[in-house]
Amino acid sequence: MICVIHVNPWLIFEKTNIMTIKQYVPLILLLCCAVVVTAQETTPTPKLNLMPVPASVKFHPEERLAVDSSFKVATRGHSDARLETGISRFMRRLEGRTVLTLAPGLAADDQTTPLIIHCEGPGKTIPAVSENESYRIDITGRQAMLNAPTVVGALRGLETLLQLLEADRNGYFLPGVQIDDRPRFPWRGLVIDVARHFEPMEVLKRNLDAMAAVKLNVFHWHLTEDQGFRVESKKFPKLHQLGSDGNYYTQDQIKEIIAYARERGIRVMPEFDIPGHSTSWLVGYPELGSAPGPYTIERRPGIFEPALDPTREEVYKFLETFLGEMAALFPDDYLHIGGDENEGKQWDRNPAIQAYMKQKGIKDNHALQAYFNTRLLKILQKHRKKMIGWDEILQPGLPKDVVIHSWRGTAALAEAARKGYDGILSNGYYIDLIQPASQHYVADPLPADTTLTPEEAKHVLGGEATMWGEWVTPETIDSRIWPRTAAIAERLWSPRNVTDVNDMYRRLAVISLQLEELGLTHKKNQDMMLRRLVRNDDIGPLRTLVSVIEPVKEYRRYQMRPQTMLSPLTGAVDAATPDSEAARKFSWMVNEFLNDAPRFQLYRTELSQMLADWQTSGASLGPVIDRSPALKEIKPLAQNLSQLGETGLEAVSYLKLGIPPPREWRETSLAKVSEAAKPHGALEFVVISGVKQLVIAAAELSRSSSR
Amino acid sequence: MICVIHVNPWLIFEKTNIMTIKQYVPLILLLCCAVVVTAQETTPTPKLNLMPVPASVKFHPEERLAVDSSFKVATRGHSDARLETGISRFMRRLEGRTVLTLAPGLAADDQTTPLIIHCEGPGKTIPAVSENESYRIDITGRQAMLNAPTVVGALRGLETLLQLLEADRNGYFLPGVQIDDRPRFPWRGLVIDVARHFEPMEVLKRNLDAMAAVKLNVFHWHLTEDQGFRVESKKFPKLHQLGSDGNYYTQDQIKEIIAYARERGIRVMPEFDIPGHSTSWLVGYPELGSAPGPYTIERRPGIFEPALDPTREEVYKFLETFLGEMAALFPDDYLHIGGDENEGKQWDRNPAIQAYMKQKGIKDNHALQAYFNTRLLKILQKHRKKMIGWDEILQPGLPKDVVIHSWRGTAALAEAARKGYDGILSNGYYIDLIQPASQHYVADPLPADTTLTPEEAKHVLGGEATMWGEWVTPETIDSRIWPRTAAIAERLWSPRNVTDVNDMYRRLAVISLQLEELGLTHKKNQDMMLRRLVRNDDIGPLRTLVSVIEPVKEYRRYQMRPQTMLSPLTGAVDAATPDSEAARKFSWMVNEFLNDAPRFQLYRTELSQMLADWQTSGASLGPVIDRSPALKEIKPLAQNLSQLGETGLEAVSYLKLGIPPPREWRETSLAKVSEAAKPHGALEFVVISGVKQLVIAAAELSRSSSR
């Protein structure tokens, strides 16, 4: 793990900028524009849209390299097919954004070629945790230079160049900068669970493209679950034939994804989750289970009893063959064996297993699973794979070359590190739980207050965002992964002190747009889903509602709105997305407005417009919902949207006029707001606290006036 | 060819309805709502959203079959895997729209199962032109019955059922109807040219889904061109290796597409366009050409000289082997050999060819191509394929079992039919030429005024929409094909007298939305492209502009804005789509408004809003374009949008007040409108005539007042 601490160039002017420009730049521009010039500064301070923020950036504010139809790339030093296809993708994306036709292929290096890429070597043949991903970019008015020790470093640099592209009335350009960059952590991953819901090849490919765009480097492919077995096994074909409903990847497709990821400098680590989470294995091979079977593919979400029988030699023989097949298929150094959430109920009830434990002196299920893992480790070692598994595998006696994947947290990770185990963090990065990016952003695998010694800290390799698949389909998965995962990617790549949440969100909006050019559907599918729900093009009012609600957090969705793995994920809860931008904007405006007391002028117009839009949209949703039974479940939300708008407008009005509201207004209004805070259809408003603030402020105005 | 003439149930009340409801139903509802109830009718007359319109529909207005979570399907008679996966797809789509979780699998036929499908037999093993696609649907309040002689007929009926699904505050339901349906023409196709631009598997698959949704049954796969050779040949691997930039379909992928199409009752007919259009063949095998070579893949659009040498035996030996390989790969009865647009310039210049012609008494290039085709026909006959080619192949002496594909028109088609040749029409269906659906809709392979005898008319098998690939990418192709191709599908399926353009557009809007559920991107990609162009989310003004402009028609795009096959298709011209709905709406409102003289009240508010939106959007686009150099080419359009809005508002204002404009206003205004009519960036306004009408009407008001 390389740990570089540099000053974050974005932090310096952030606060003052926002405070000074807000009065004359509309908010939408403030959130979107690439370059902000402040009146106080004599030279403009460029605001870049890089995500993750590089380790070090220096500006040459006077310099800019024009990007026009003569733009070309030449290579120096090492070159190979991976670099050249990477450059070709870079050029296509540059063309796509600029609508310029660029000459195909590489240019001759005639000293004045606009972009020179100097690569020292190919890097690892198979992407590995020890890959050198560093690069350096120098852009002057004359030329851009990208230097990297490996092709992967060069690919990372090309993504930075695409993020650097800017434009003004004189055309497209790359700003004058000098960037020295390298990752803080060498393991920066995304788990995609393709087992609960299957995800076709194109979904994986576009997500690999997006991962590369934000410099993630591990695709952790969660291939097996109670609810599905998604990889073709030639040795045990009943695994995929009976465990997948026909939705699995052929070995050719697996190879295609591995090659696709390698092209982008991304490792592909498979996970075969055992001994629990294994119902789908047992459909075809019930004899591996700890209870007699027969088994059927699990359709519900949750934790289930079926588990492999760790006491029978046939099970190890099976695993030896199966994992051997998979070890040959997946070239990565690591193989993830899951190991989580096995409660051992089948073991408790199986007399043969109980007898075996007694005989071997295995005192409990934890010890039995440790025994299983020890056997598994030997199999993996034989196939030259390093074993990685979830927290639960960390049991006394576990050899030190096993990696701990922590869903429990940094404390567990630190404890493992102290004991000498490598580890990665996923606690804090559960993107399926619908938390805002800001929350994921503060989760640090190695927090500033860590008590680990530098030597121990080296065991903390990085982290992985986890896209668990219970409630995502090919239609919605992108919106659950992106753009929030870009914030996690930044946490894992950028220096520890890059922590400005506002600036993160500013850049996240830009990056989110750029991800669309790679085919990601996180933005464009929402309108489509709303059109399907309302059954016509007139989605304005529903869009307003959806912009200020979010699916309920953590594991409440299933409790409130039970569905199976076969249910349609096309409802309002699926169309709604996490981390509402409109809610952030609202909350921002409320704060500015209230801080502007007693004038109450700042953002008053925008706030009133927004609240009025809620009021009218809520009202006009009534007939829309009557025509669309699938929306019936959110009827109360539509009514509450109107209420929130009305209440908010009343508060703004009192504050504006400085007239105290009637005594009972505070309680009545807060009751309305509380009523609106209740979820419906597993959706809830995320603007409640802002409206409450307005009500309370108006009511306080009343008290102070009446004093 | 089966020709059924029934009364079109949609025509009966259409005209009167529109005239009576317009005063109290907002236009948006008029365009979108599923059921229109007129004041004059005692019982509601349902307006269905079926496309294509079935051969016969009878209504049971009192009956409706509820679709709720107990909805199930049972089969009677024949069943097979194709039917069952078809039913499964049907159920998933039903779930997607209704957000209901339906029980998986088929139900037992317990007499009360909500939907019974009774299929008499499997139909053709390989989809064929002689397939019986008829079906019958009976829906009562108790049950829906779908009867069909073949599985393909049942699949067609399932699509109709999905289009029948309606909803109101009581829930989803199928209306009480009895439908007897069968196609007018047995050959209803879509050509997708994957050669000029390659289209990945998922693009083909989603378009096959869309084809099935509107009952098209031939995917004509245009696989080779000067600009690309897109199919793997194991016999002559240099064809795809050197002729495709690596963008080709493996034979496994070809089989996958054929199977996918067959599942949906769609034939897959390949086209290998020879002897012209063959540059990409010659890159790997220059010895087949009529000039020595070497050849490189053509990057420009247009007609090029390279052609196979029809005088050399090696060429026929090559074709014998190659077409044998392809004949085995593609199971369809027909193989398309192109044969178009060979100007024979290479032949003219080749002394050996000239000598050969002299020796054999071949008098000109037409005769030489006829000779080539005769040889080709023998090869195809040997491989049991029927030959089909473009108009040009119809030369004296052509055997009668060859099918003519007419790009020239119905007259050429009729002439061929009179001579005894089967034929299909594509003239009128060139969807790449950016014409409105209304124009394609009137093109009839067998027009009402045909002079063909019924016996001769049987030779007219149908038609094909042609998606030529010069200016489409995976990102834009759906918007060029859909929804307009649904209107062509209706022309080829529905009775000849189904010709109401307004009703076609009403239904097209509904079907267009439904196509989205299949993954089609024709609607959702536009906003994404606009976001990329303006580089943020604030696309409102640009969207307003794009809603009233269209790419220039026919072949003017390349003349005005030359690009190559390697250029980015991400500009404003690519984001704009054919057949502007906003322009139709504007034109409608202008007519209603002007017909409401001298009151000028009808739609005045809506018209003024629209014009004001143009005015302000045009103005606010200035700074947007300054930040986005890729939009520079449409800066004049933005200015003209403002001008059109302003001019229109002035006209409306004069008309409203009944005040004549100043004398010079007419000329000044018309000059502005004429200026706005000029294309920029290969885009043009399609609201010009409406604004002109307003100006002239206002000016006439002036004259009549001043008289």
Side-chain angles (χ1 to χ4, degrees), chain A residues 179-283:
Chain A
I179 292 177
D180 266 298
D181 201 11
R182 68 192 59 84
R184 181 175 166 217
F185 294 106
W187 189 309
R188 307 176 309 279
L190 170 64
V191 181
I192 300 184
D193 166 9
V194 298
R196 267 87 173 209
H197 281 89
F198 183 68
E199 302 296 340
M201 294 289 282
E202 64 264 27
V203 174
L204 301 184
K205 286 184 178 175
R206 68 186 187 229
N207 276 285
L208 285 165
D209 283 324
M211 287 173 67
V214 296
K215 301 184 172 61
L216 288 175
N217 68 354
V218 184
F219 169 36
H220 171 161
W221 205 347
H222 187 80
L223 282 160
T224 67
E225 259 306 337
D226 295 304
Q227 297 90 348
F229 192 98
R230 306 296 182 196
V231 55
E232 177 191 25
S233 169
K234 293 183 179 174
K235 303 284 187 186
F236 301 106
K238 282 190 286 181
L239 284 171
H240 65 275
Q241 284 167 1
L242 300 183
S244 76
D245 301 300
N247 292 320
Y248 63 89
Y249 308 98
T250 65
Q251 295 203 356
D252 280 346
Q253 288 177 319
I254 299 275
K255 288 175 193 158
E256 194 178 330
I257 291 295
I258 292 168
Y260 195 91
R262 181 187 176 277
E263 288 281 299
R264 287 149 184 82
I266 296 174
R267 295 168 44 208
V268 177
M269 177 181 69
E271 177 180 350
F272 305 98
D273 199 351
I274 44 179
H277 287 273
S278 57
T279 310
S280 69
W281 305 51
L282 304 177
V283 181

Side-chain angles (χ1 to χ4, degrees), chain A residues 96 516 524-525 531 566 570, chain B residues 92 96 516 524-525 531 570:
Chain A
E516 287 198 283
K524 66 186 179 184
N525 273 7
R531 285 191 287 267
L566 299 177
T570 54
Chain B
R92 294 304 284 183
E516 288 197 283
K524 67 186 177 183
N525 273 6
R531 284 190 287 266
T570 54

Side-chain angles (χ1 to χ4, degrees), chain B residues 344-504:
Chain B
K345 289 187 187 164
Q346 278 196 343
W347 295 352
D348 294 340
R349 284 197 301 266
N350 182 324
I353 292 177
Q354 293 305 313
Y356 185 90
M357 288 169 72
K358 206 162 200 176
Q359 182 204 332
K360 294 266 183 181
I362 297 171
K363 65 175 200 305
D364 60 13
N365 286 339
H366 290 304
L368 184 57
Q369 188 157 339
Y371 167 77
F372 176 76
N373 287 338
T374 311
R375 297 285 305 264
L376 213 51
L377 181 63
K378 283 201 190 98
I379 293 173
L380 291 184
Q381 283 168 338
K382 188 175 156 193
H383 295 300
R384 297 170 188 278
K385 291 293 175 190
K386 294 181 191 164
M387 182 161 123
I388 171 167
W390 297 99
D391 278 316
E392 287 94 328
I393 67 165
L394 182 50
Q395 294 291 332
L398 186 75
K400 299 292 181 197
D401 54 352
V402 170
V403 182
I404 306 302
H405 189 175
S406 186
W407 59 267
R408 289 189 177 146
T410 47
L413 198 62
E415 189 200 323
R418 247 185 298 272
K419 287 180 179 157
Y421 293 97
D422 281 355
I424 58 171
L425 183 70
S426 274
N427 180 295
Y429 304 141
Y430 270 47
I431 49 177
D432 58 314
L433 302 187
I434 317 289
Q435 305 287 5
S438 54
Q439 184 167 327
H440 300 304
Y441 198 55
V442 298
D444 192 323
L446 210 50
D449 62 358
T450 181
T451 56
L452 293 180
T453 66
E455 205 53 37
E456 288 166 348
K458 282 183 188 162
H459 285 299
V460 178
L461 299 180
E464 290 184 352
T466 56
M467 181 67 260
W468 298 118
E470 281 88 349
W471 310 121
V472 288
T473 64
E475 206 167 80
T476 61
I477 189 169
D478 295 0
S479 75
R480 279 16 185 189
I481 301 179
W482 307 105
R484 291 177 303 148
T485 295
I488 299 172
E490 174 155 294
R491 174 58 48 239
L492 298 172
W493 176 284
S494 301
R496 181 192 276 157
N497 65 347
V498 176
T499 53
D500 184 319
V501 170
N502 287 335
D503 192 61
M504 178 275 284

Side-chain angles (χ1 to χ4, degrees), chain A residues 388-561:
Chain A
I388 170 168
W390 297 98
D391 279 315
E392 287 93 328
I393 68 165
L394 182 50
Q395 294 291 333
L398 186 76
K400 300 291 180 198
D401 54 351
V402 170
V403 181
I404 305 303
H405 189 173
S406 184
W407 61 266
R408 289 189 178 147
T410 45
L413 197 61
E415 189 200 322
R418 247 185 297 271
K419 287 180 180 158
Y421 294 96
D422 282 354
I424 59 172
L425 183 69
S426 274
N427 181 293
Y429 304 140
Y430 270 48
I431 50 177
D432 58 313
L433 302 187
I434 317 288
Q435 305 287 6
S438 54
Q439 185 166 327
H440 300 305
Y441 198 56
V442 297
D444 192 322
L446 208 49
D449 62 357
T450 182
T451 56
L452 293 180
T453 66
E455 206 52 38
E456 288 166 348
K458 283 185 187 161
H459 285 298
V460 178
L461 300 179
E464 291 185 351
T466 56
M467 182 68 260
W468 298 117
E470 283 87 348
W471 310 120
V472 289
T473 65
E475 208 167 80
T476 60
I477 189 169
D478 295 0
S479 75
R480 278 17 186 189
I481 301 178
W482 306 106
R484 291 177 302 149
T485 295
I488 298 172
E490 173 155 293
R491 173 59 47 241
L492 297 172
W493 176 285
S494 301
R496 181 192 275 157
N497 66 345
V498 176
T499 52
D500 184 320
V501 171
N502 287 335
D503 193 61
M504 179 275 285
Y505 274 122
R506 179 186 66 77
R507 290 174 290 117
L508 196 64
V510 178
I511 297 305
S512 183
L513 278 171
Q514 289 173 3
L515 290 176
E516 287 198 283
E517 80 190 13
L518 297 166
L520 277 288
T521 64
H522 56 301
K523 289 177 83 87
K524 66 186 179 184
N525 273 7
Q526 186 175 62
D527 280 359
M528 180 271 287
M529 297 179 78
L530 299 184
R531 285 191 287 267
R532 182 171 52 204
L533 283 166
V534 307
R535 302 162 63 237
N536 67 48
D537 278 309
D538 191 15
I539 55 173
L542 183 58
R543 190 155 48 182
T544 293
L545 172 59
V546 165
S547 76
V548 292
I549 56 179
E550 291 178 9
V552 290
K553 313 281 169 286
E554 299 181 335
Y555 299 99
R556 289 191 295 146
R557 171 176 171 154
Y558 179 66
Q559 293 155 18
M560 293 184 172
R561 195 173 173 279

Side-chain angles (χ1 to χ4, degrees), chain A residues 552-613:
Chain A
V552 290
K553 313 281 169 286
E554 299 181 335
Y555 299 99
R556 289 191 295 146
R557 171 176 171 154
Y558 179 66
Q559 293 155 18
M560 293 184 172
R561 195 173 173 279
Q563 285 185 302
T564 76
M565 296 305 113
L566 299 177
S567 299
L569 301 185
T570 54
V573 67
D574 302 295
T577 51
D579 212 2
S580 160
E581 207 173 318
R584 269 202 313 279
K585 183 176 159 184
F586 176 69
S587 157
W588 165 275
M589 293 196 298
V590 166
N591 282 322
E592 296 296 304
F593 172 72
L594 294 179
N595 286 337
D596 191 37
R599 223 169 44 118
F600 298 113
Q601 178 76 44
L602 259 186
Y603 293 118
R604 192 174 67 214
T605 312
E606 294 88 340
L607 255 185
S608 301
Q609 274 167 1
M610 197 170 193
L611 291 162
D613 182 28

Side-chain angles (χ1 to χ4, degrees), chain B residues 160-174:
Chain B
T160 301
L161 283 169
L162 282 168
Q163 292 185 351
L164 281 170
L165 183 74
E166 302 203 354
D168 61 19
R169 69 176 66 209
N170 297 316
Y172 293 95
F173 67 93
L174 294 170

